[in-house]
Amino acid sequence: MAVAALGTTVALAAPAGFAQAAPTDTEPVAARSAGATQTTTSTKAAAAPAAWAAGTRAYLVITAPGGTSAVSGAVASSGGSAFATYDAIGVIVAHSTSSSFATSMRAVGGVQQVGATRTSDVPADAYNPALPANPAQSTTTLTESNRWDMTQIKAEQAWAVTTGSATVKVGVLDTGVDDQHQDIAPNFNAADSASCAYGKVDTRAGAWRDVGTHGTHVAGTIAAAKNGKGVIGVAPGVKISSVRIAEPTSSLFFAENTICGFMWAGDHGFKVTNNSYYTDPWQFNCPDNVDQAAIIEGVRRAQVYAEGKGSLQVAAAGNSNYDLANKTTDSESPNDSTPVTRTITNACIDIPTELPGVVTVAAQGNGGAKASYSNFGNGVVDIAAPGGDGASGVYSTLPGGKYGNMNGTSMASPHVAGVAALIASVNPTFTPAQIRDQLGVQATDRACPSDTRCKGTTTKNGFFGEGAVDALKAVGGSTPPPGAYFENLADVTIADNATVESSITVGGVTGNAPATLKVGVDIKHTYIGDLKVDLVAPDGTVYTVHNRTGSGTDNIVQTFTVNASSEVANGVWKLRVNDNASQDTGKIDAWNLTF
């Protein structure tokens, strides 16, 4: 992976298992994994302890909830060890070097399913995990500005209703998060952050940090602070917790890691989790395969547990431009060894995005069309959100105080997770099902384009699900009525080397100003190169419309368009004129605002 210099744009190659950054699902596994290692460093060597041996594989042993102790002895007698146990859902993560372990355990009374979670060895690092690096931080000169993705979902307008409650926790289940980043630190919740790499909770300080760049980018889209620096997240007032489920070096997300992450989310009160990945090593898990059937059941139980504790899971649909409602082949699995092409059916599912209760998010480009890479599928995709496409990427945070662009359904999913957090902020008693319903009901319908692959109706189809996510409608806000007009005809004299202001009081307009606020200016003044003209919003934000251009031209009689969508419409607006030279004078003859 290439890491951007401060404020620049990057296109990041995707390690296997991501549903994310620029669509690289068809890139060879070795190339994708190699890209990940370039940004992964550790603070200590990962020495192999006596408990680890070459050939160690991981398995899910599934029994009745509360029944793990009854079969734990059989794990040992079958040549295995219990690496982690989740008794509430009846799942043991077992390790064994025995090739007969799974067969032996399937014959044990009380054991319902057993499945290998990977086709490669468990790394020695699982027994002695190295802490991710804590990158040195760069300060930024970038100031917050309106971005196409936030404008597209009306996030700036939603902030007039809420920027999110600090009581709402959002879990980023990903490669980790740089908690020291200047735009993330104000909202980071270290107390509820951990690593779940290898399927066991690691609560050491910093275990949650990023072993790549992806998780930090996702976190910024959800909740980068509204602090005047860099970028603003969809819900800049909520709290972010990092649960690292990617393993270092490979950046793979195995089933036991996802199970651990969902259980942590449920036990730690996460209102929403974002899941911009698919569970490795199988892009699709098929119930007629004993290993994959156990993966489906184990992750499903963990998701049900988390939802039962009040947590809504939001997940990326994937980047293969694949019809999830008409599955035929999978040529990318297993991605931890040698992929083979296999025939599959719709019974095979992408985990976690196709699990019941999970919100499946497709990606849109700038302008709202389906992103070229985005997976789709009528009855599978629930909602769509900005994910970027080509040069119009999603701009967000990167480790080390940096910023950059990425494209992918991984970028779309955190927009929806952020809106879900806003919904939870204004409706604190909502259940996950109610938040899920609100997302769909308040989405903006988008009809299928002239593309025969898109099936369904305007209100629900395979490209956009129930529509494009709308942050403003989701929190109960509304846009200003079009054409509301206000003016000030009083003359204000502009003297040499002086600053003057003329005010307009706006009332009766609901919500925020539009992204196309019209500012009509009639200034009589010789030599307009002397003048700087600003629109000042009710909260003091300054929008410059003319800055000492035009040289010796006389008079400014012009209508300017200002993106004021982050400003509450009602209040006192001012036209501020600064004369910066001697000899030429004039007046503000009139000015107006059209909403």
Side-chain angles (χ1 to χ4, degrees), residues 19-57:
Q20 94 298 2
T24 54
D25 286 343
T26 56
E27 193 176 351
V29 172
R32 287 184 272 170
S33 298
T37 61
Q38 296 174 24
T39 58
T40 303
T41 57
S42 60
T43 57
K44 62 179 180 178
W52 180 88
T56 299
R57 295 292 173 92

Side-chain angles (χ1 to χ4, degrees), residues 522-531 546 549-558 584-585:
D522 185 352
I523 295 175
K524 302 298 193 295
H525 191 287
T526 53
Y527 210 95
I528 64 173
D530 291 354
L531 302 181
H546 174 90
T549 59
S551 301
T553 304
D554 293 345
N555 305 330
I556 303 175
V557 182
Q558 186 176 348
D584 294 275
T585 60

Side-chain angles (χ1 to χ4, degrees), residues 189-430:
N189 174 21
D192 293 305
S193 295
S195 170
C196 273
Y198 312 111
K200 178 189 288 187
V201 172
D202 181 353
T203 59
R204 291 176 298 163
W208 57 72
R209 292 198 175 115
D210 210 331
V211 295
T213 57
H214 186 265
T216 301
H217 194 278
V218 164
T221 297
I222 297 170
K226 200 172 189 289
N227 57 2
K229 303 174 183 178
V231 298
I232 310 173
V234 177
V238 305
K239 292 298 183 183
I240 282 289
S241 298
S242 171
V243 184
R244 178 168 66 86
I245 62 171
E247 298 181 5
T249 305
S250 69
S251 286
L252 296 180
F253 303 74
F254 292 101
E256 59 266 39
N257 309 2
T258 303
I259 290 169
C260 173
F262 285 166
M263 298 298 289
W264 180 270
D267 288 338
H268 287 262
F270 294 177
K271 199 68 177 177
V272 184
T273 71
N274 186 80
N275 303 270
S276 290
Y277 61 92
Y278 67 81
T279 299
D280 300 295
W282 306 100
Q283 184 176 28
F284 300 105
N285 286 271
C286 300
D288 60 354
N289 176 288
V290 290
D291 293 321
Q292 293 162 41
I295 290 172
I296 293 171
E297 179 63 11
V299 179
R300 184 196 69 79
R301 289 189 186 188
Q303 138 58 18
V304 169
Y305 179 87
E307 183 163 343
K309 294 282 189 175
S311 178
L312 174 69
Q313 277 56 254
V314 179
N319 296 339
S320 297
N321 194 24
Y322 193 98
D323 187 352
L324 297 174
N326 291 284
K327 301 185 184 84
T328 55
T329 58
D330 172 15
S331 59
E332 300 179 23
S333 306
N335 62 10
D336 66 335
S337 54
T338 303
V340 296
T341 299
R342 57 179 180 151
T343 299
I344 63 172
T345 69
N346 284 348
C348 303
I349 60 174
D350 185 335
I351 295 175
T353 197
E354 288 192 86
L355 288 175
V358 176
V359 178
T360 303
V361 184
Q364 297 172 281
N366 188 350
K370 171 192 170 297
S372 59
Y373 53 79
S374 181
N375 286 354
F376 56 97
N378 194 25
V380 179
V381 168
D382 293 309
I383 199 165
D389 206 355
S392 293
V394 172
Y395 196 69
S396 187
T397 48
L398 295 174
K402 299 178 176 65
Y403 299 85
N405 280 318
M406 291 189 189
N407 297 297
T409 56
S410 279
M411 284 61 255
S413 183
H415 285 88
V416 175
V419 174
L422 293 179
I423 293 172
S425 297
V426 296
N427 302 282
T429 63
F430 267 23

Side-chain angles (χ1 to χ4, degrees), residues 101-130:
F101 175 78
T103 301
S104 175
M105 285 302 300
R106 289 179 187 126
V108 173
V111 171
Q112 298 171 355
Q113 290 177 276
V114 179
T117 65
R118 54 185 85 201
T119 63
S120 57
D121 288 359
V122 175
D125 185 67
Y127 290 86
N128 187 24

